[in-house]
Amino acid sequence: MDERSSLVELRSVGYSYGGRSPTRALQDVSLTIKPGEYVSIVGPSGSGKSTLLHLIGALQQPTEGELWIAGASVSNMSVEARASLRRKVIGFVFQFHYLLPDFTVLENVLMPACIAHGKPTRADREEAVSLLNRVGLGERMHYRATDISGGQQQRAAIARALAGGKPLVLADEPTGNLDTHAGNDAFALMREFHRTMGVTFIVITHNPDLAKRCDRVITIEDGSLASDEVMT
Amino acid sequence: MSLEWRIALRYFKAAGLQSVLMVAGVAVGVTVFVFIASLIGGLQQEIIQNTIGSISQVTLQARDTPPRTPQELGSEDKPGLAYVTRVEKYGVLEARISNWQPVVKQLDNDPDLIAVAPTVLGAGFATRGQLTQPVTFHGIVPNRENGIINLRKDMVEGSLNVTGQHCVIGTELASDLGVGVGDKVITLSSKNQRMTFTVAGIFDAGIVDVNERSFYISLTNAQHILNLVGYISAVETKLRHIFSANLVADHLAASTGLKTRSWMRQNAQLLSALQAQSGSSAMIEAFTMLSVAFGIASVLVVSVVQRSREIGILRSMGLRGRSVTLVFLYQGIVVGAVGSVAGSIVGTLLIFGLLQLPGNTASGSHLFPAQWQFQYVVQASLTAVIVCICAGIAPARRAAALDPTEVIRYG
Ligand SMILES: Nc1ncnc2c1ncn2[C@@H]1O[C@H](COP(=O)(O)OP(=O)(O)OP(=O)(O)O)[C@@H](O)[C@H]1O
Ligand SMILES: [Mg+2]
């Protein structure tokens, strides 16, 4: 991919939830994220941060405006085409549930490869083991996902999000459920992967200290882009 | 193994009690299926054996002959006017088949038939001293007749020997006339022919009427005393598939030009009783499987709800909707397969246990005339697996339709 071309591009994107009480969660958001950026999204609760992240993650489609991910227009993609895009491009780290509880740590990290091509290859295994070593779980990779601590689970989830050489990792309050120490660890790991592998991270956080440590901070208020600052 | 199978098996193992309950549900269904099928199947087998099993299943007789004209009756010899005032019908016993050997030969080569027996029938009396009883003469070829009604098995005294001037009679007739094996009986046929027979054997067919009336003699003797030399009354047959009687009867009527009677048309009541039995056993099986289906479906629906976060995570990783569907269908297959094996074993053991129970010692039969067949196990298992797949369809579609953002958003 061209250095200058954008990895994520939103043009006047809006999103309204349908249902019984239709909610306009996002409106007129335009922004561009280039490969290799480390972006945090901040804002009050209910401002639309998760909605924005789900749009960027191709889990939802904008109800207004245009959205491109890795050069592909998401606005009129089918459900399965979006699933395919996620398989190739996007890794997720969630706040509440990190791993699949019925599988081992290693199996969890291999899951993206299984989803992409059925059976993990040797290369997939080597990659998974090396990622787990890097997040400090080399010893525990055969543990069941539920048999390790929350901080360890979140580090394994980061390894899983990166598996398969995903260029874009989206994290929704990844440290929100962890104590300060474990949260700092997880955050440091993501920065480390960003620095060494050039992976693009977009991280929602409520923690102002962590936000300050990112290269760029996007603030959402009331469904709109309130500020977009590059840290120095 | 595909990813979908691996996830399905992992979920099946992880679900613990839920999986045990689903498997138990299927196992009970398969047990009931095998049990009912064996029981009703065995019962029918016994009823058939005791009824149609010991009669001619398709009988060939001469066609009703058209009434003869006065000319044929030879009235031309006596000039004048003749009026036909009454047309007498030939009785069944009078109907006769001429040129019967080729017919028997043709039937012998018919693959639908397993036994063919020419018979000569006629009425008359049997006398011993002062005692006289009405009888029905059966002129038979013993080896052939035995294929139809298994007379040898019914012999209680002497043997099935009708050679020369020997006869075989039933227990009731023997006691009515006060005769035993070796005693002589004088007969008078409806054609006024007398002949003396020596009793060679006494049978008990289990039916009083038959034991009282039937008087077995050789085909030749019967032809002789009934004025039927060169003719027979009927050809009795036994079929390979007894429920094909109507079809076989029709094709034999066409190919031999004779009148045919099928047991299915003669015994409509028995037939409908058998069909009602088959029908009710099919109903029980169907409703059992239906309730199994509802049970499996409801447990799977619950498991979809319980798994919805994980489904959401897998979907966010790009798992295809089709794969989510397959995971739950495969779970249905696993449940169906494991349940079928368990149910087949239990059902089979139950049937064999039942057969160990002491039954009616007099008739030597079992308390329950159950008859286990491997075919029942196969049918039950196949049905169960199909039912489980069907039960998985709705939950699987529901799982595939889950919106990942809904489940990811809330912890
Ligand atoms: N499924 C939904 N149906 C209707 N409205 C929704 C739905 N999900 C979210 N919303 C609404 O959309 C708005 C934005 O929600 P969103 O979850 O994106 O906020 P957020 O910034 O992530 O909040 P938080 O910091 O609490 O996670 C809120 O007003 C919320 O109530
Ligand atoms: Mg949120």
Side-chain angles (χ1 to χ4, degrees):
Chain A
M1 194 178 286
D2 191 328
E3 266 291 319
R4 287 163 308 168
S5 74
S6 54
L7 181 58
V8 178
E9 178 144 5
L10 290 85
R11 260 188 231 156
S12 311
V13 163
Y15 189 88
S16 300
Y17 287 98
R20 264 157 290 171
S21 50
T23 316
R24 191 131 194 253
L26 275 185
Q27 53 208 348
D28 197 27
V29 176
S30 297
L31 56 87
T32 302
I33 292 167
K34 291 202 167 63
E37 285 196 88
Y38 197 107
V39 183
S40 74
I41 300 176
V42 297
S45 182
S47 56
K49 304 182 295 295
S50 294
T51 305
L52 178 61
L53 200 77
H54 291 162
L55 288 171
I56 295 173
L59 290 169
Q60 289 170 332
Q61 280 174 302
T63 50
E64 294 155 45
E66 287 284 332
L67 166 62
W68 288 270
I69 298 169
S73 170
V74 178
S75 303
N76 31 32
M77 254 187 200
S78 72
V79 174
E80 292 305 321
R82 284 189 280 130
S84 163
L85 179 70
R86 292 197 295 272
R87 282 199 290 281
K88 289 176 198 135
V89 179
I90 303 158
F92 286 96
V93 179
F94 300 110
Q95 173 183 3
F96 294 106
H97 17 75
Y98 320 110
L99 301 177
L100 300 166
D102 300 312
F103 294 83
T104 66
V105 175
L106 179 61
E107 284 170 334
N108 264 280
V109 177
L110 285 171
M111 194 55 78
C114 293
I115 291 173
H117 43 260
K119 250 194 163 81
T121 62
R122 234 183 113 99
D124 294 328
R125 285 182 174 278
E126 280 164 9
E127 183 203 30
V129 170
S130 123
L131 280 170
L132 283 170
N133 280 325
R134 284 186 67 178
V135 300
L137 288 170
E139 310 273 283
R140 309 252 157 140
M141 63 185 173
H142 294 298
Y143 280 45
R144 258 177 65 119
T146 45
D147 293 345
I148 57 174
S149 75
Q152 289 170 331
Q153 286 188 38
Q154 197 60 310
R155 282 183 290 165
I158 293 167
R160 185 183 62 190
L162 289 159
K166 302 264 174 58
L168 176 60
V169 171
L170 306 179
D172 195 342
E173 298 185 45
T175 60
N177 250 20
L178 301 177
D179 60 47
T180 321
H181 183 71
N184 280 332
D185 269 5
F187 195 84
L189 261 177
M190 291 195 287
R191 286 248 56 159
E192 156 90 3
F193 282 119
H194 170 252
R195 196 171 49 77
T196 56
M197 294 167 70
V199 176
T200 308
F201 280 83
I202 304 176
V203 183
I204 296 178
T205 182
H206 271 147
N207 185 330
D209 293 336
L210 293 182
K212 275 185 212 133
R213 284 158 61 187
C214 299
D215 301 342
R216 180 176 168 191
V217 179
I218 292 171
T219 310
I220 304 287
E221 265 165 29
D222 227 359
S224 302
L225 192 66
S227 74
D228 184 351
E229 309 169 65
V230 177
M231 301 280 118
T232 42
Chain B
M1 208 192 308
S2 72
L3 175 65
E4 292 85 357
W5 267 114
R6 273 178 288 156
I7 298 178
L9 286 175
R10 195 61 66 90
Y11 280 7
F12 176 77
K13 268 195 271 178
L17 183 62
Q18 268 181 3
S19 298
V20 170
L21 289 177
M22 286 195 286
V23 166
V26 176
V28 169
V30 169
T31 301
V32 170
F33 193 116
V34 170
F35 188 79
I36 292 289
S38 303
L39 206 61
I40 300 291
L43 198 65
Q44 293 213 325
Q45 207 72 30
E46 192 171 89
I47 291 172
I48 288 167
Q49 214 105 71
N50 291 343
T51 53
I52 312 121
S54 51
I55 59 167
S56 169
Q57 291 158 1
V58 171
T59 307
L60 295 92
Q61 291 168 334
R63 274 191 194 289
D64 294 330
T65 41
R68 279 178 283 185
T69 59
Q71 283 79 5
E72 283 173 320
L73 289 168
S75 53
E76 279 155 301
D77 299 351
K78 297 149 210 155
L81 211 54
Y83 292 98
V84 177
T85 55
R86 194 178 151 94
V87 177
E88 298 272 353
K89 207 170 143 65
Y90 261 20
V92 173
L93 294 180
E94 306 290 338
R96 52 193 199 174
I97 305 173
S98 56
N99 197 21
W100 55 274
Q101 286 90 344
V103 174
V104 169
K105 196 160 187 175
Q106 180 200 331
L107 299 183
D108 278 340
N109 292 325
D110 193 317
D112 291 333
L113 307 178
I114 53 172
V116 177
T119 54
V120 172
L121 296 171
F125 297 94
T127 309
R128 165 82 180 182
Q130 298 297 307
L131 300 167
T132 294
Q133 289 290 331
V135 296
T136 303
F137 297 109
H138 290 252
I140 60 165
V141 179
N143 282 339
R144 286 179 171 275
E145 190 66 17
N146 195 58
I148 309 286
I149 57 175
N150 205 353
L151 268 174
R152 287 211 171 85
K153 198 194 70 195
D154 292 339
M155 298 304 297
V156 291
E157 224 181 300
S159 65
L160 181 61
N161 173 18
V162 293
T163 55
Q165 305 279 100
H166 287 104
C167 69
V168 171
I169 60 174
T171 46
E172 250 82 16
L173 182 61
S175 73
D176 286 349
L177 292 175
V179 295
V181 171
D183 290 342
K184 289 202 161 29
V185 176
I186 299 165
T187 61
L188 174 67
S189 79
S190 54
K191 300 292 183 220
N192 248 340
Q193 302 268 15
R194 270 174 208 285
M195 198 177 266
T196 303
F197 291 96
T198 307
V199 176
I202 295 172
F203 65 85
D204 178 4
I207 303 165
V208 175
D209 204 42
V210 171
N211 291 349
E212 215 166 45
R213 286 295 199 114
S214 297
F215 197 103
Y216 287 100
I217 55 181
S218 72
L219 204 64
T220 334
N221 284 338
Q223 286 171 330
H224 196 78
I225 62 172
L226 294 165
N227 288 353
L228 284 171
V229 175
Y231 299 99
I232 58 171
S233 310
V235 185
E236 301 176 333
T237 65
K238 200 160 194 176
L239 308 187
R240 194 171 300 282
H241 307 289
I242 66 166
F243 289 101
S244 66
N246 288 347
L247 284 174
V248 173
D250 293 344
H251 104 238
L252 289 183
S255 66
T256 61
L258 295 171
K259 190 164 90 182
T260 58
R261 295 150 72 91
S262 142
W263 76 266
M264 289 167 79
R265 296 200 181 108
Q266 304 298 116
N267 298 277
Q269 277 190 345
L270 175 64
L271 186 65
S272 66
L274 288 175
Q275 281 166 344
Q277 264 183 1
S278 303
S280 49
S281 99
M283 287 277 269
I284 295 173
E285 288 157 12
F287 279 111
T288 308
M289 286 300 176
L290 202 62
S291 60
V292 168
F294 286 129
I296 302 293
S298 56
V299 177
L300 281 178
V301 165
V302 171
S303 102
V304 167
V305 173
Q306 288 173 333
R307 297 277 177 198
S308 54
R309 306 161 141 213
E310 289 143 63
I311 296 165
I313 293 172
L314 286 164
R315 290 287 270 157
S316 76
M317 286 194 264
L319 186 69
R320 297 159 187 85
R322 195 180 57 99
S323 300
V324 177
T325 310
L326 285 180
V327 165
F328 284 89
L329 288 184
Y330 288 167
Q331 275 199 79
I333 294 178
V334 175
V335 167
V338 177
S340 293
V341 171
S344 298
I345 293 173
V346 174
T348 303
L349 289 179
L350 213 59
I351 288 296
F352 283 106
L354 209 60
L355 290 177
Q356 299 305 310
L357 292 180
N360 184 341
T361 37
S363 67
S365 66
H366 294 286
L367 187 57
F368 293 97
Q371 199 187 53
W372 181 89
Q373 280 183 22
F374 185 63
Q375 176 199 336
Y376 299 149
V377 169
V378 173
Q379 279 171 359
S381 303
L382 273 180
T383 313
V385 171
I386 292 169
V387 157
C388 287
I389 295 173
C390 294
I393 289 175
R397 294 179 69 124
R398 191 170 162 169
L402 276 176
D403 177 358
T405 62
E406 285 296 307
V407 288
I408 290 163
R409 186 180 296 270
Y410 311 103

